[in-house]
Amino acid sequence: MALSEQKRMLLQGNEALARGLVENGCVVAASYPGTPASEILSAIQKWQAAEKVPMHVEWAVNEKVALEIAYTASQTGLRAMTAMKQVGLNVASDPLMSAAYLGVVGGFVVVSADDPGPHSSQTEQDSRLMAMLAKIPVLDPASPAHARELAAVAFELSEAFRVPVMLRPTTRVCHACQDLELKPVQDLARVADFQKDPARWTATPKFRYQLHLQLNQKLADIAAYPPTAPICHNPHVTSRKAVVASGPVASYVKETLDDLGLWDSLSFYQVVQPYPLHTEFSAQVLEKHDEILVLEETTGVIEMQFRERNKVRGKLSGAVPEAGELLPETVERIVAGFAGVPASPVPQVAQQGGRRPTLCPGCPHRASFYAIKKAAPKGIYPSDIGCYTLGVNLGAVDTFICMGAAVSQAAGFYHSYRIGNQYPDIVATIGDSTFFHAGIPPLIDALAQGARFVLVILDNTTTAMTGNQPTPAQGTPSGQPVEIEQIVKGCGVRFCKTGDPLDLPGFTALVKEAVAFSHSEGVAVLIAKSPCLVDRSQPRKKRPQPVVAEKCTGCQVCTKRFECPALVFDESTGKVAVDSMICSGCGVCLDVCPVGAIVSREEG
Amino acid sequence: MKQQLVLSGLGGQGILFVTRLLAETAIAKGYPVLTSETHGMAQRGGVVISHLKVGDFASPLVRPGQADALLSLKGETLPLHLHFLKDGGFFSTNAKSVPAVAEGINGVLVDADSLALQLKDPQAVNLIVLGRTVAQPGKLFCTAEDIEDALRERMKGKEAALARALAAFRAGLEA
């Protein structure tokens, strides 16, 4: 039975979007993982395998590389996609801007997933602003089903105007699930056929000016493209007030209008293509209505395209918050206020409490951080983007900016202090996937500029935080594994040692050695190698859970400074106990306890 | 049929699994579903929440004061999310005693941690709480049999895992 003959399936938004791309002839896909976009490429791999479609699908080393590979496929006439999160699009922005000018041959879809909230991101930036900057159209799906539908529209739009198209789902689309029926996968039977055209593909600045004029014309035409026109959901209504919404916010508006009994009294438009906003639509809405409320996430992209400002309510007018997720309860309050009807009472929300995110029990990063704090207690600790950012709980992360910045920041700290003849211990941490992504160029720079610091590469041989996507260290069936140690040595680092952080005394000694080398010689690199506990594909040693002996003094070093969630302080006994529900048996706490009260089960 | 559920607990407790299991149960019964999941950094041991809407809805999020039921896989997360319940809503939680804020609200308790340890399956807390919830007649859109069917469908070919899952679910059902 073909997959498409199956009954309705529960699909995550990312799986639905991936399905839409594969159904519509996408044959090259490249991505770098980042929440909430991470499952898009794995879903493409899944659909490819299930439908046996000849494709190239890759986890690229970073977003810029991913975009360049997919865009090149489009230059050969194939349909291609690249997927990333909003922060990843910053990394890929360089080729994106150029791709907009040069245009496409085969349909090219850039998926940039936004994270209003933000739930798992450094920023709440709105990728639609990046689409405006690049001057490419962007589509705003409202649900998993809509994301699948817009994948098809995006390819058609891209080929109709020869322009890259951005598809911008948000967390509430990516990580929503919905029941959907699969459609058959189309075989477009295209083969790569690159037409050399130096005037276009290698256009010099003078030609780029011409291309810019052409791009502006394309945008004007796209603002009249019927398949992406806004939808009026209740055309029978003739009201002086209208609500305009896009993305998942449109689905909140729909439910709110139903619940407040406003469906027949307030005009409701859903914008599918926030940029460029359809010219005729904005003219008609401004003509038909006196007051227009615009609800969108995160920036007022639609709002700013309505030229008659005095009729428009939104973020710029102060009617809608300019930061944070527009939750359905917020939408309800704003819509009720706009319509002049009472909103439902807001229930009392509990005082914030509960547990903050923390490294998993038994996570090797916790041991690495503990060793670093022990070996260089007064150090400066730049870090980076990944699970290990949670090392901030242990006091072992002082800064993080963006992918790869741990290494440049370590160098920046060194140069800044050196000017005043000060030489603090500097110990930077970076994950293995992040090192491959953006850690290598700053390492080269640090060596060339004579910076001195310790770089600890936390190597769990996976991209843990986003769901254990592979890194270049694994290689692929047709490729070869790329070893971190060889890169480090190849750059010219003279101190490069590998250790297991779960051997706490041994690893602490290594960090001390590296710190000493960094002061006398230059950059020292330590590779802290131990598998991720969440990654079931890697073997791990089964070790017995420890027990806490009677001599525990209740000093709480293990719960507070080592911060293992599997160790719990019992107020009633004044001692620590092991939570056997979650303890992984890593055994590092045996070395952490200052009085030797935590022992292995055999000894206990 | 229209029902809105909120599930909460700590990262790593299998909230996603239970949410999807219920969603698949709903699909098998012919109902449309929408869910919203938590991923990324929040999943690392912190408090996580997922929403499930069965029936004709447009958005995946449950508004505060609208949930028909709240399933809490760790007693300490119950007070954090009680405000999602509507008047007359129902909760079930993994706890030995009801926290003060939940007094007067219709709900049930189960000491799922202890039951899971008895089953030698610490991962089973989620299914134990689910079993305890569905044991209350009329609180969920489905019956225990519907959920067991969905479990069998989901774990086809994984007999050992299915047996463990059914044991946990039934332990909650009979608790």
Side-chain angles (χ1 to χ4, degrees), chain A residues 40-365:
Chain A
I40 299 170
L41 195 87
S42 21
I44 288 187
Q45 283 174 323
K46 182 180 81 178
W47 298 127
Q48 177 204 9
E51 304 276 5
K52 300 184 179 63
V53 191
M55 285 180 81
H56 173 71
V57 185
E58 74 161 71
W59 284 114
V61 72
N62 66 28
E63 294 85 357
K64 174 173 145 66
V65 174
L67 192 143
E68 287 162 354
I69 285 171
Y71 176 59
T72 305
S74 153
Q75 289 184 322
T76 73
L78 303 179
R79 283 190 170 182
M81 70 80 70
T82 182
M84 58 205 67
K85 69 180 296 178
Q86 89 279 17
V87 198
L89 188 62
N90 298 341
V91 177
S93 60
D94 213 353
L96 175 68
M97 301 296 146
S98 246
Y101 276 52
L102 300 174
V104 311
V105 182
F108 179 46
V109 176
V110 178
V111 181
S112 183
D114 281 1
D115 186 23
H119 297 273
S120 196
S121 304
Q122 307 95 294
T123 68
E124 287 194 302
Q125 69 195 59
D126 190 326
S127 294
R128 301 175 308 165
L129 291 169
M130 199 72 103
M132 290 180 90
L133 180 62
K135 296 196 165 181
I136 60 169
V138 52
L139 307 178
D140 237 6
S143 64
H146 197 215
R148 192 262 294 270
E149 185 189 324
L150 289 188
V153 174
F155 272 136
E156 284 153 21
L157 172 62
S158 176
E159 289 180 0
F161 295 92
R162 311 238 142 193
V163 70
V165 173
M166 184 187 291
L167 194 51
R168 197 276 311 224
T170 63
T171 301
R172 298 303 180 189
V173 173
C174 294
H175 291 160
C177 295
Q178 190 173 14
D179 54 307
L180 283 172
E181 267 165 38
L182 304 183
K183 291 179 190 165
V185 171
Q186 300 174 44
D187 179 4
L188 302 181
R190 294 187 191 174
V191 286
D193 179 20
F194 178 59
Q195 299 293 318
K196 292 190 185 191
D197 182 358
R200 179 174 178 195
W201 300 128
T202 61
T204 49
K206 197 175 72 179
F207 289 111
R208 297 273 170 143
Y209 169 69
Q210 295 302 325
L211 290 171
H212 191 183
L213 295 177
Q214 286 172 23
L215 181 58
N216 288 347
Q217 185 56 50
K218 284 180 188 178
L219 280 174
D221 296 341
I222 292 168
Y225 182 61
T228 59
I231 302 154
C232 182
H233 285 290
N234 50 4
H236 62 285
V237 177
T238 51
S239 62
R240 304 179 70 82
K241 292 184 178 184
V243 180
V244 175
S246 78
V249 178
S251 66
Y252 310 155
V253 170
K254 182 176 183 301
E255 284 185 7
T256 287
L257 293 179
D258 278 339
D259 290 354
L260 296 176
L262 294 169
W263 189 256
D264 298 317
S265 54
L266 213 54
S267 292
F268 169 36
Y269 302 91
Q270 181 181 358
V271 171
V272 177
Q273 177 183 287
Y275 180 81
L277 189 63
H278 279 64
T279 319
E280 201 178 293
F281 165 76
S282 82
Q284 278 179 3
V285 169
L286 285 167
E287 189 189 302
K288 273 197 206 160
H289 305 282
D290 298 332
E291 283 184 74
I292 300 145
L293 173 66
V294 187
L295 292 163
E296 59 188 315
E297 288 176 323
T298 306
T299 309
V301 166
I302 299 169
E303 185 187 357
M304 72 172 84
Q305 292 174 82
F306 281 111
R307 292 199 181 143
E308 215 173 315
R309 300 240 45 87
N310 59 344
K311 287 189 171 184
V312 179
R313 314 277 175 270
K315 289 166 187 281
L316 299 170
S317 77
V320 181
E322 286 194 276
E325 190 174 9
L326 272 187
L327 288 166
E329 51 268 36
T330 316
V331 167
E332 182 187 343
R333 183 177 50 75
I334 297 169
V335 170
F338 179 66
V341 300
S344 354
V346 182
Q348 187 89 34
V349 178
Q351 289 297 314
Q352 277 308 303
R355 299 188 193 184
R356 59 185 177 178
T358 174
L359 295 168
C360 301
C363 173
H365 299 339

Side-chain angles (χ1 to χ4, degrees), chain A residues 385-450:
Chain A
I385 308 297
C387 289
Y388 50 91
T389 309
L390 293 166
V392 69
N393 294 354
L394 292 127
V397 169
D398 292 326
T399 62
F400 62 92
I401 303 177
C402 61
M403 299 286 281
V407 190
S408 349
Q409 285 205 280
F413 281 121
Y414 172 77
H415 296 307
S416 307
Y417 278 90
R418 182 185 50 81
I419 295 168
N421 280 316
Q422 298 178 76
Y423 297 92
D425 296 345
I426 300 167
V427 185
T429 44
I430 190 169
D432 50 332
S433 187
T434 311
F435 178 72
F436 283 118
H437 177 288
I440 300 166
L443 180 61
I444 294 171
D445 186 83
L447 290 161
Q449 298 292 334

